[in-house]
Amino acid sequence: MNKRKRLVMRSVILVVIALALGYTLFQTVFSDKKEPVAVGDTAPNFALKNLDGKEVELEDYKGKGVFLNFWGTYCPPCEKEMPAIQRQYEKYKDQGVVVLAVDIAETKLTVKKFVDEKNLTFPVVLDQQREVVDVYGVGNLPATYLISPEGKVIDKITGELNDTRVRNYMEQIKP
């Protein structure tokens, strides 16, 4: 009888291990893990609040070229590129190009102070829970996605931009 108990126990353990391995394999193969947004993809829509508390959706800008910039006040390259983005926005805003700046995980007060100091006039939204950053797969900041008027991602740029580069990118997404 003792041998029989050991056989049953070993069989149960073997079945549990087999189920655990099967579940792990299934999760690995069929997981819902999203790939980062890539060039050629349709830009995922999102809705975030701006500094006035109004909800802004990416879809609101359908038909316009969108210069989607992920940034933070704590990021020195982000701070350095903002004046260039503002200058080029002033030139291109009447040509169907919009800048949508997504601040990552900061308070409204911190971002408002920064926006006021830099005299930024383009839309700034807050991704306080990092939801949009995760959907887009943003790693290092600053990160900029160029979105065509049709809503397709035509380029992704990581790193600080200057006036010339911003102007060239805005030319690419101008309707």
Side-chain angles (χ1 to χ4, degrees), residues 6-171:
R6 275 188 291 186
L7 179 63
V8 169
M9 187 58 92
R10 287 180 184 158
S11 297
V12 168
I13 290 172
L14 190 59
V15 167
V16 169
I17 289 172
L19 287 172
L21 285 171
Y23 177 77
T24 302
L25 183 62
F26 178 81
Q27 286 296 93
T28 303
V29 172
F30 297 104
S31 73
D32 275 349
K33 187 173 181 191
K34 299 251 181 196
E35 291 294 317
V37 174
V39 172
D41 290 351
T42 297
N45 188 39
F46 59 85
L48 293 171
K49 293 196 190 274
N50 66 13
L51 295 174
D52 296 326
K54 181 182 173 219
E55 194 168 88
V56 175
E57 266 191 87
L58 180 60
E59 281 187 358
D60 295 343
Y61 302 107
K62 201 87 168 180
K64 294 184 181 249
V66 179
F67 189 92
L68 180 62
N69 181 259
F70 292 90
W71 67 287
T73 64
Y74 49 84
C75 161
C78 300
E79 183 175 359
K80 283 180 70 179
E81 76 178 2
M82 282 298 171
I85 294 171
Q86 178 61 41
R87 283 189 294 274
Q88 296 309 315
Y89 172 69
E90 288 299 322
K91 294 176 184 173
Y92 283 89
K93 68 181 180 181
D94 294 330
Q95 297 179 49
V97 174
V98 68
V99 171
L100 185 55
V102 179
D103 176 82
I104 301 169
E106 294 188 279
T107 66
K108 186 170 156 181
L109 185 63
T110 300
V111 177
K112 178 133 179 59
K113 182 179 176 208
F114 181 91
V115 166
D116 290 346
E117 284 174 4
K118 301 288 182 194
N119 295 313
L120 303 178
T121 60
F122 48 77
V124 175
V125 293
L126 306 172
D127 187 10
Q128 293 175 318
Q129 305 303 317
R130 302 179 59 89
E131 294 162 354
V132 178
V133 168
D134 291 343
V135 167
Y136 275 77
V138 174
N140 296 330
L141 296 180
T144 303
Y145 289 77
L146 304 180
I147 302 171
S148 73
E150 297 76 36
K152 295 284 185 194
V153 175
I154 61 170
D155 205 352
K156 175 187 175 186
I157 306 101
T158 303
E160 182 183 331
L161 301 174
N162 60 27
D163 275 284
T164 302
R165 291 181 70 197
V166 173
R167 182 179 60 249
N168 290 341
Y169 292 137
M170 288 190 177
E171 278 293 327

